[in-house]
Amino acid sequence: MSKYTSGLSKNWHLSFYTLWLGCFITGMGYSMTMPFISLFISDLGNYNKLEINLYSGLAFAMTFIAQAIVSPFWGSLADQKGRKLMCMRASGVMALTLTISLTGLAPNAIYIVIMRFIQGAFSGYINNATALMAGETPHEKSGWVMSQMMTAGTAGNLVGPLLGGALSSFFGNLLGGAWGYRIPFFITGLLMFLVFLGTTFFTKENFTPVSREKMKPMKEIMASLPSIQLIVAMFITTMLVQSATMSIDPIVSLYVKSMMPGSKNVALIAGIVAATPGLGTMIAASKIGHKMDEIGPLKVLRLGLIIGAILFAPMAVTNSPWVLAALRFLLGIASAAMMPAAQTVLTLNTPSESFGRIFSYNQSFQAIGAVLGSLLGSGISGFANYEAVFWVTGFTLLLNFLIILIFASKKNTPR
């Protein structure tokens, strides 16, 4: 067990259920709008194919670039004011003032790119909710809670595209033009306002404010940790696991299409293949979370990384979308042992007064991983082929496994 403890809320269950629902809606809202952003952009002007791809890529990447830049600032503020306030800031700003709702009013592609950058600068609900629960949860429940918090966003990401597609089709047919893509943004803004209210009134945080003058510099905090190498290894793990996810997601449907030339069911089957990892993660998260609490998160993390690396090899050589779907389902199970395990290691090895900054740096690494993964997938598939993306991604997880073996030695484990 970690030596770091804090005054834990006796009513942490209510906070957990509230924040789980908030993370679910946040994940759903993101995936309800982003898969259709290129279609939205194409309806806003006479853009050619290159321009649509360029603006779509920028709209996607800008959020993560902004997150990487501003996350340390929000993390420092979280340690001064509390993680609950950061959750309220993220949900409130996205709902009311700047991004989600106003994106639905976009007159052109440049406007969308700018709004996406602003959204990234003020985002962070899921990461701050995770950090809040890390500080409020009894340590013997940390693995299970971290897994469940990941499951919330994953479940939202599963529901979002289906709901967004249905809403876009319905309102597109009803109102015509780009309104089919605008309405989901307005609905997401309303849902985020409900998240803001729920977080405000039902989330409790046992937090003692730290004045700016009394806050330890980040260098001093890192030096006081039992193992700087372990924390850095978790930052790198977050980056590489996110990169592995993002390198595959954009090209899955195209990979499926290459397996089924001339088929009329490509979109349906590609959707199934895209959804299977999330389904696997949802099914396995609770059990793997309990296993982390039993044997320690590092053992689970190492197992998840090596299994994930192995699974990418048959994905690269299969010619069947159904085999690909089955393998990605297994990858989803392995994924439940990756990111939650890394976050649990951070939870058990970080002083409570520094949760905000440590988790914000972790969010920055996650954002960097998303950008790198997107560039990796598009670049390799453009210059080589889709199969090469799977080989390189598998090698990335294998490299991550070796980093954990080297820098997270037995004496550094939190148990």
Side-chain angles (χ1 to χ4, degrees):
M1 288 285 288
S2 166
K3 69 177 182 178
Y4 300 118
T5 59
S6 61
L8 302 175
S9 171
K10 295 180 180 179
N11 298 317
W12 66 270
H13 292 89
L14 178 60
S15 297
F16 166 70
Y17 292 126
T18 302
L19 293 174
W20 190 98
L21 184 60
C23 290
F24 171 81
I25 292 175
T26 301
M28 183 181 71
Y30 174 84
S31 61
M32 191 166 73
T33 55
M34 280 311 294
F36 312 104
I37 202 73
S38 59
L39 299 176
F40 187 19
I41 289 173
S42 68
D43 276 355
L44 293 178
N46 296 317
Y47 301 114
N48 59 40
K49 182 179 178 180
L50 177 60
E51 289 173 329
I52 292 173
N53 288 337
L54 175 62
Y55 285 129
S56 299
L58 285 174
F60 186 89
M62 279 300 175
T63 298
F64 299 107
I65 292 172
Q67 284 180 355
I69 294 172
V70 305
S71 287
F73 167 75
W74 291 126
S76 178
L77 194 60
D79 285 336
Q80 296 177 60
K81 306 295 184 180
R83 271 71 69 178
K84 176 180 176 178
L85 184 62
M86 295 300 101
C87 290
M88 292 167 59
R89 179 263 305 165
S91 56
V93 170
M94 284 194 290
L96 297 176
T97 56
L98 290 173
T99 55
I100 294 294
S101 297
L102 290 183
T103 302
L105 299 174
N108 53 53
I110 294 294
Y111 181 98
I112 290 179
V113 172
I114 294 173
M115 286 296 104
R116 291 291 299 167
F117 183 86
I118 295 173
Q119 183 178 340
F122 285 90
S123 65
Y125 185 92
I126 293 178
N127 282 278
N128 278 288
T130 301
L132 193 158
M133 287 313 305
E136 296 297 309
T137 305
H139 281 169
E140 63 271 14
K141 297 287 186 180
S142 290
W144 181 80
V145 168
M146 292 298 101
S147 295
Q148 292 304 306
M149 295 299 287
M150 176 183 175
T151 303
T154 301
N157 287 332
L158 279 175
V159 174
L162 301 176
L163 182 58
L167 291 171
S168 297
S169 297
F170 176 77
F171 286 106
N173 293 329
L174 182 65
L175 302 175
W179 281 102
Y181 305 114
R182 295 182 190 275
I183 297 298
F185 282 98
F186 300 144
I187 293 175
T188 300
L190 175 61
L191 291 174
M192 291 307 300
F193 179 64
L194 297 178
V195 170
F196 170 78
L197 293 178
T199 303
T200 301
F201 294 109
F202 298 114
T203 299
K204 306 297 180 184
E205 182 181 19
N206 186 19
F207 178 76
T208 302
V210 180
S211 66
R212 188 177 183 86
E213 293 74 23
K214 293 183 179 180
M215 286 182 63
K216 295 180 180 179
M218 196 64 195
K219 183 177 180 180
E220 185 177 336
I221 290 174
M222 295 296 285
S224 68
L225 297 174
S227 174
I228 298 178
Q229 288 185 342
L230 181 63
I231 300 300
V232 172
M234 293 307 106
F235 289 163
I236 294 173
T237 296
T238 296
M239 181 182 69
L240 293 181
V241 170
Q242 184 70 12
S243 178
T245 300
M246 296 308 301
S247 69
I248 298 301
D249 283 355
I251 60 105
V252 164
S253 58
L254 297 174
Y255 190 35
V256 171
K257 185 177 180 180
S258 70
M259 298 177 184
M260 307 173 62
S263 174
K264 296 181 179 180
N265 296 317
V266 171
L268 174 62
I269 297 174
I272 294 173
V273 172
T276 49
L279 182 61
T281 298
M282 285 181 60
I283 292 174
S286 180
K287 187 171 183 62
I288 290 177
H290 285 303
K291 183 59 67 175
M292 274 193 274
D293 292 329
E294 292 176 14
I295 67 175
L298 276 176
K299 292 180 181 178
V300 173
L301 175 59
R302 286 193 289 263
L303 186 61
L305 288 171
I306 196 65
I307 292 176
I310 292 172
L311 285 172
F312 276 105
M315 287 185 207
V317 298
T318 184
N319 292 315
S320 168
W322 301 113
V323 173
L324 180 63
L327 291 169
R328 281 175 59 78
F329 176 81
L330 296 176
L331 180 65
I333 295 176
S335 294
M338 296 184 202
M339 199 75 81
Q343 291 176 333
T344 303
V345 173
L346 289 176
T347 298
L348 297 178
N349 289 271
T350 301
S352 59
E353 67 271 13
S354 305
F355 270 151
R357 277 174 287 175
I358 293 295
F359 272 79
S360 71
Y361 275 88
N362 197 53
Q363 183 181 4
S364 291
F365 275 88
Q366 186 175 355
I368 293 170
V371 175
L372 291 177
S374 301
L375 297 176
L376 185 72
S378 59
I380 293 175
S381 62
F383 289 103
N385 51 50
Y386 300 127
E387 292 84 355
V389 180
F390 288 86
W391 287 114
V392 173
T393 302
F395 176 77
T396 299
L397 291 183
L398 180 61
L399 177 64
N400 198 164
F401 173 77
L402 295 176
I403 290 173
I404 297 301
L405 283 183
I406 295 171
F407 293 107
S409 61
K410 213 170 190 180
K411 62 185 175 66
N412 291 325
T413 57
R415 283 184 167 267

